């Protein structure tokens, strides 16, 4: 079959195209585009001469082609990735080609299942500390959006830095929102002033970036000054990264170490915090699901903290998390740029085109999901998962650039949810949450739940 060269899409306004719709609600605009124009859609935005054109792929088959089977032709060369690269370095998230392959080979051994299971103690320690802090403050209503962001940041900082957790977590918490907003604004703008110009936004972002860089550089320098013997005594991820080496790939120098730490700190905490926020929100809105998940948690051995070995005992809670990640994928939009013209799901994507593969839309595709807006953890029984297309659900991306930390993200989220559900019943306060698609999915308002201590909490 000959590929269709003419890709349909909304015309939008004469001068701005679909820019206003995308700015008002990009997620709904994409959902509407799929309903009205099909699985491959062309959307233009901006004034003539500065107009950007996005080729959107809304089918599971098309996602597989872009992210896996034709991955060499669809690269991280778009403006947003370049802005991320300029702000947080050339780490595993943004690097390409030989740099990426070398980094992946050096870092992959630190994310095997056995290695990741060793991080469970840090997860449950932070989750338990959060429960104790809520009890001491006698909180009855908490904003889980804020609380899960803090929990996820402290957890990944503890795993990365060990005893240096406080300084690193505080600096990232204070400064990363400035970097995030700056990168997003520049990544989506058709024209940007040079970063070197002394504009207020450039100065604020520069100060925030230097602060985050400085804390990582200081900790790395202190570890290296302590010597090899002292470093070997530490079991945090920085120590493992410092010792990672091979005859073929050498080892990571100080700048490369910092770039990897920033990726893990920033990408690792934002995505997990988002997933946990929406899992708790959904549990608070669906008390029957919450009760069933708590029954499962209550069957864990009494008197001890959940561990990595307990994950297999929590299949229903895992399904709850997966369904939450379907409805609220932490990375709702995945962007690439084509090198050469290529056929994707029966349509011809031109060379040099910006391509968008949105899990937000594919996770709601009615051909893949019955009644897609309904919350139903039973979608993720092994039988139903096995019957679906591999790219019907891909919150961690796919292909050779799939997230290296996906097993850790699942372990962290399930164990932390188990700790919280053992301690509390959750009642919804904010039934609806305002959303924005940034670098990650963001709740723009509060996501409050009311906590009721469980009488049988153990």
């Amino acid at each position: 079959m000959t590929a269709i060269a003419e890709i349909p899409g909304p015309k939008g306004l004469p001068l701005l195209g679909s820019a206003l719709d995308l700015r008002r609600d990009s997620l709904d605009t994409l959902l509407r585009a799929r309903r009205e124009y099909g699985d491959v859609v062309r959307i233009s935005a901006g004034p003539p001469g500065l107009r950007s054109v996005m080729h959107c792929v809304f089918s599971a088959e098309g996602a597989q082609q872009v992210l896996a089977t034709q991955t060499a032709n669809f690269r991280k060369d778009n403006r947003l990735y370049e802005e991320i690269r300029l702000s947080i370095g050339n780490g595993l998230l943004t690097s390409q080609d030989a740099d990426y392959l070398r980094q992946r080979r050096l870092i992959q051994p630190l994310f095997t299942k056995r290695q990741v299971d060793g991080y469970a103690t840090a997860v449950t320690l932070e989750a338990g500390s959060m429960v104790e802090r809520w009890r001491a403050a006698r909180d009855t209503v908490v904003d889980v959006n804020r609380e899960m962001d803090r929990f996820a940041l402290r957890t990944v900082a503890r795993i990365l830095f060990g005893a240096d957790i406080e300084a690193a977590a505080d600096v990232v918490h204070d400064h990363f929102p400035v970097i995030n907003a700056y990168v997003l604004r520049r990544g989506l703008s058709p024209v940007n002033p040079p970063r070197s110009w002394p504009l207020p936004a450039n100065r604020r972002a520069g100060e925030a970036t230097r602060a985050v860089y400085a804390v990582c550089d200081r900790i790395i320098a202190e570890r290296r000054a302590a010597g090899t013997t002292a470093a070997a005594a530490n079991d945090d991820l920085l120590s493992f990264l410092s010792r990672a080496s091979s005859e073929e790939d050498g080892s990571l120098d100080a700048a490369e170490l910092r770039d990897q730490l920033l990726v893990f700190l920033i990408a690792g905490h934002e995505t997990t915090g988002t997933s946990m926020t929406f899992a708790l929100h959904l549990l608070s809105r669906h008390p029957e699901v919450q009760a069933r998940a708590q029954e499962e948690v209550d069957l864990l051995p009494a008197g001890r903290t959940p561990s990595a070995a307990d994950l297999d005992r929590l299949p229903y809670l895992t399904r709850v998390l997966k369904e939450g990640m379907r409805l609220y994928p932490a990375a709702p939009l995945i962007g690439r740029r084509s090198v050469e013209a290529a056929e994707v799901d029966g349509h011809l994507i031109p060379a040099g085109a910006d391509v968008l593969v949105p899990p937000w839309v594919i996770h709601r595709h009615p051909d893949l999901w019955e009644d897609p807006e309904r919350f139903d953890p039973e979608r993720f029984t092994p039988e139903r998962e096995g019957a679906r297309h591999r790219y019907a659900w891909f919150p961690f991306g796919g292909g050779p650039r799939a997230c290296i930390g996906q097993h850790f993200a699942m372990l962290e989220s399930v164990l932390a949810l188990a700790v919280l559900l053992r301690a509390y019943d959750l009642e919804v306060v904010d039934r609806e949450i305002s959303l924005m698609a940034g670098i990650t999915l963001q709740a723009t308002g509060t996501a409050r739940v009311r906590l009721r201590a469980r009488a049988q909490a153990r």
Side-chain angles (χ1 to χ4, degrees):
M1 184 179 73
T2 303
I4 301 170
E6 187 65 29
I7 297 175
K11 293 182 179 179
L13 299 172
L15 290 179
L16 294 176
S18 297
L20 295 182
D21 287 338
L22 289 168
R23 176 169 292 187
R24 187 180 302 115
D25 190 337
S26 61
L27 299 175
D28 185 66
T29 298
L30 294 172
L31 285 170
R32 191 168 66 250
R34 189 212 61 78
R35 286 195 302 267
E36 295 177 2
Y37 298 99
D39 285 344
V40 181
V41 177
R42 183 179 183 274
I43 298 178
S44 61
L50 295 175
R51 183 159 292 182
S52 61
V53 177
M54 188 69 66
H55 295 75
C56 304
V57 177
F58 298 137
S59 68
E61 184 61 33
Q64 183 169 17
Q65 291 168 348
V66 171
L67 299 178
T69 58
Q70 300 185 53
T71 185
N73 192 55
F74 294 98
R75 294 164 52 83
K76 291 187 171 185
D77 284 337
N78 59 27
R79 181 180 290 113
L80 181 59
Y81 275 114
E82 179 60 22
E83 292 295 336
I84 297 172
R85 192 176 293 115
L86 289 170
S87 287
I88 65 169
N90 195 43
L92 206 58
L93 176 66
T94 54
S95 61
Q96 299 196 99
D97 304 324
D99 284 346
Y100 173 76
L101 293 174
R102 172 176 171 270
Q103 291 174 19
R104 183 96 184 194
R105 286 192 297 265
L106 285 169
I107 294 169
Q108 185 69 61
L110 308 184
F111 286 90
T112 62
K113 182 180 184 303
R114 180 178 178 180
Q115 186 72 34
V116 168
D117 285 352
Y119 307 144
T121 299
V123 172
T124 54
L125 180 63
E126 284 299 327
S129 295
M130 179 167 53
V131 168
E132 292 305 316
R133 177 167 54 81
W134 290 350
R135 285 176 176 158
R138 300 182 184 276
D139 288 323
T140 57
V141 175
V142 299
D143 178 3
V144 292
N145 182 36
R146 183 182 63 191
E147 292 289 333
M148 293 309 105
D149 181 78
R150 171 177 171 163
F151 158 77
L153 176 56
R154 287 184 58 84
T155 299
V156 74
R158 180 178 294 280
I159 290 167
L160 283 171
F161 300 122
D164 294 298
I165 174 179
E166 300 296 342
D170 288 346
V171 168
V172 173
H173 180 270
D174 291 342
H175 294 285
F176 179 64
V178 176
I179 299 171
N180 193 358
Y182 180 72
V183 165
L184 182 64
R185 184 170 59 253
R186 290 179 62 90
L188 298 181
S189 175
V191 178
N192 287 306
R195 286 176 171 236
S196 59
W197 286 10
L199 301 173
N202 286 349
R203 286 201 300 268
R204 286 193 299 270
E207 290 168 1
T209 299
R210 286 190 292 273
V212 173
Y213 275 30
V215 73
C216 292
D217 289 342
R218 176 184 62 76
I219 294 172
I220 291 168
E222 288 173 355
R223 291 293 180 84
R224 293 195 158 186
T228 304
T229 303
N234 290 312
D235 60 357
D236 53 55
L237 194 55
L238 172 56
S239 299
F240 290 129
L241 281 169
S242 299
R243 299 195 295 269
S245 64
S246 73
E247 190 172 318
E248 177 185 3
D249 297 311
S251 59
L252 299 171
D253 63 27
E256 290 175 315
L257 271 174
R258 181 190 66 204
D259 290 352
Q260 302 307 333
L261 293 177
L262 287 172
V263 167
F264 298 147
L265 268 174
I266 292 168
H269 98 265
E270 276 223 322
T271 51
T272 303
T274 295
S275 296
M276 289 194 59
T277 291
F278 289 107
L280 291 169
H281 170 69
L282 289 165
L283 284 165
S284 72
R285 288 187 57 178
H286 298 272
E288 72 289 352
V289 173
Q290 182 182 162
R292 182 172 171 186
Q294 286 173 320
E295 288 175 7
E296 186 176 75
V297 170
D298 289 345
L299 291 175
L300 296 178
R304 71 164 175 79
T305 303
S307 68
D310 293 319
L311 285 183
D312 290 341
R313 302 181 183 185
L314 299 169
Y316 186 72
L317 185 55
T318 301
R319 295 201 290 272
V320 169
L321 177 64
K322 286 183 173 182
E323 175 69 343
M325 295 166 77
R326 179 186 72 83
L327 287 167
Y328 299 99
L333 312 172
I334 298 175
R336 295 289 189 267
R337 180 168 286 171
S338 61
V339 178
E340 299 177 348
E343 182 177 342
V344 173
D345 200 12
H347 292 75
L348 186 65
I349 304 292
D354 284 319
V355 179
L356 189 68
V357 182
W360 180 271
V361 178
I362 297 173
H363 286 187
R364 287 169 164 77
H365 200 303
D367 291 349
L368 301 168
W369 306 94
E370 182 181 356
D371 193 6
E373 295 293 342
R374 178 169 55 89
F375 175 60
D376 179 11
E378 293 305 307
R379 299 181 198 271
F380 288 92
T381 61
E383 298 76 19
R384 294 176 71 176
E385 278 194 293
R388 276 195 297 271
H389 193 289
R390 161 65 183 84
Y391 284 80
W393 183 82
F394 57 112
F396 299 107
R401 298 300 302 248
C403 175
I404 197 173
Q406 55 187 286
H407 176 62
F408 170 65
M410 294 298 296
L411 175 140
E412 178 183 4
S413 300
V414 172
L415 289 185
L417 289 172
V419 170
L420 298 181
L421 291 176
R422 176 181 273 183
Y424 288 105
D425 292 324
L426 312 172
E427 295 180 4
V428 66
V429 175
D430 295 320
R431 293 197 65 84
E432 303 298 330
I433 303 176
S434 300
L435 302 174
M436 182 185 77
I439 299 172
T440 57
L441 186 68
Q442 297 173 15
T444 57
T446 58
R448 294 172 299 171
V449 302
R450 179 169 287 104
L451 304 172
R452 298 197 184 279
R454 299 184 65 202
Q456 66 272 41
R458 299 170 297 164

